[in-house]
Amino acid sequence: MTFEEVLPKLKNGKKVIRDGWSGPELYVKLVGASQFDGENLNPYFLINVEGEGYTMFQPTVCDILAEDWSIVE
């Protein structure tokens, strides 16, 4: 799948991953708008990395152009 195809699925709460990643990455998810310390937070991506937990994720140009995205069940 392309990033354009998985983006609506991310918006609907699905978790995704690139098949080309062969490391400890488990999945990427979208966190919706929220608040922190009384301030609004815009939606953002998190990636879950085995043994490390969550960290912020920003897709690279290669990620956006890749065609090996899939849904994580």
Side-chain angles (χ1 to χ4, degrees), residues 46-59:
L46 288 178
I47 188 167
N48 191 336
V49 178
E50 186 174 3
E52 295 181 25
Y54 289 107
T55 191
M56 297 289 292
F57 175 75
Q58 182 173 343

Side-chain angles (χ1 to χ4, degrees), residues 19-31:
D19 297 331
W21 290 343
S22 58
E25 299 88 357
L26 299 174
Y27 58 83
V28 173
K29 66 185 281 183
L30 177 66
V31 178

